[in-house]
Amino acid sequence: MTAVLFDFSGTLFRIESTESWLRGALAERKVELSGPELAEAVRGLEAAGALPGGAAPAWLPEDVASVWGVRDKTPELHRAAYTGLSRRVPLPDERLHDALYDRHMTPAAWRPYPDAAEVLGALRERGIRVGVVSNIGWDLRPVFREHGLDRYVDVYVLSYEHGVQKPDPRLFRAACAELGADPGEVLMVGDDRRADGGAAALGCGVHFVDHLPVAERPDGLRPVLDLVPPAPEK
């Protein structure tokens, strides 16, 4: 392997909890909820699947169903899908729905998995190039910069910038081309067997990790280091 591609959400980073997400938006809008009101709103948002990177919605309202399958192709579709889900939940200020969406794009809403820096740093030491390939509707680069991981990433290939979503092989092909790597010498690491597994169509190796809370997956990325060449001897 000469290069490794990583998914973003659920692979290198995990979104904050729904409660933390809602509290952050409430604080920004200077809106207060009582304890029971907060708990009810959290339950509603979780059931709706309104938190990007969180639990998937149990069902899709008609206005969201029409864009859900292509939501990662443009920023507008991504926002429409997730604010459409959050609007299923009554909140005291209509502007909170956009505030919630805006909150999830901030570095403060994301935490890297405990071994992310270690694994990315080890790949850099071994001369393995790294790309991030994500189905997403916004620029995640500031998240990597804020958490100190941008220095380990050579290229970012984001669905909304290409108008193509995983598992479409074109997105993985673009990443391989930007890295100057033959797909047969590239490993794709992700948490979604359908989306990230699309890299196999190009001949890439594929390795899956579990999409778990940060505290429950302290070393899920370390097996990647066993799948790439060791560091050259000095």
Side-chain angles (χ1 to χ4, degrees):
M1 296 294 175
T2 61
V4 179
L5 305 177
F6 288 93
D7 173 52
F8 167 57
S9 175
T11 300
L12 290 175
F13 284 84
R14 171 80 182 210
I15 191 70
E16 65 186 333
S17 70
T18 305
E19 181 176 340
S20 174
W21 177 54
L22 178 56
R23 285 184 181 276
L26 290 170
E28 181 180 335
R29 298 299 312 169
K30 296 181 172 56
V31 176
E32 294 186 4
L33 292 178
S34 67
E37 289 172 332
L38 179 70
E40 182 178 0
V42 167
R43 286 193 297 269
L45 291 167
E46 288 182 344
L51 174 60
W59 67 278
L60 296 171
E62 187 174 348
D63 61 324
V64 175
S66 63
V67 301
W68 186 254
V70 294
R71 67 190 182 280
D72 296 313
K73 288 190 174 183
T74 72
E76 295 77 16
L77 289 171
H78 197 267
R79 179 181 286 271
Y82 283 102
T83 56
L85 291 174
S86 71
R87 284 190 168 93
R88 291 172 52 196
V89 182
L91 295 175
D93 184 337
E94 176 65 19
R95 293 171 296 179
L96 279 168
H97 298 289
D98 279 310
L100 283 168
Y101 185 84
D102 293 340
R103 163 77 187 183
H104 105 275
M105 295 187 289
T106 64
W110 295 88
R111 288 180 60 195
Y113 281 93
D115 56 346
E118 171 194 339
V119 170
L120 292 174
L123 292 174
R124 176 56 55 91
E125 290 178 359
R126 298 183 189 190
I128 304 294
R129 290 175 62 77
V130 168
V132 171
V133 183
S134 178
N135 280 352
I136 200 164
W138 50 276
D139 186 5
L140 51 71
R141 294 173 182 86
V143 176
F144 280 77
R145 287 196 292 269
E146 182 70 21
H147 291 280
L149 300 188
D150 179 66
R151 57 184 168 170
Y152 302 122
V153 180
D154 297 292
V155 302
Y156 296 90
V157 177
L158 311 180
S159 61
Y160 83 95
E161 293 181 337
H162 291 259
V164 177
Q165 299 178 177
K166 298 181 289 185
D168 193 315
R170 288 177 291 175
L171 203 62
F172 303 107
R173 185 178 291 115
C176 292
E178 289 194 33
L179 289 169
D182 183 284
E185 298 178 347
V186 173
L187 177 68
M188 175 67 206
V189 181
D191 66 299
D192 187 319
R193 279 167 167 72
R194 178 180 176 274
D196 300 312
L202 289 183
C204 299
V206 181
H207 176 75
F208 296 109
V209 295
D210 294 322
H211 188 147
L212 294 171
V214 166
E216 296 177 25
R217 211 195 76 192
D219 54 6
L221 291 167
R222 287 179 185 160
V224 171
L225 299 178
D226 296 328
L227 302 175
V228 299
E233 294 185 10
K234 297 180 180 180

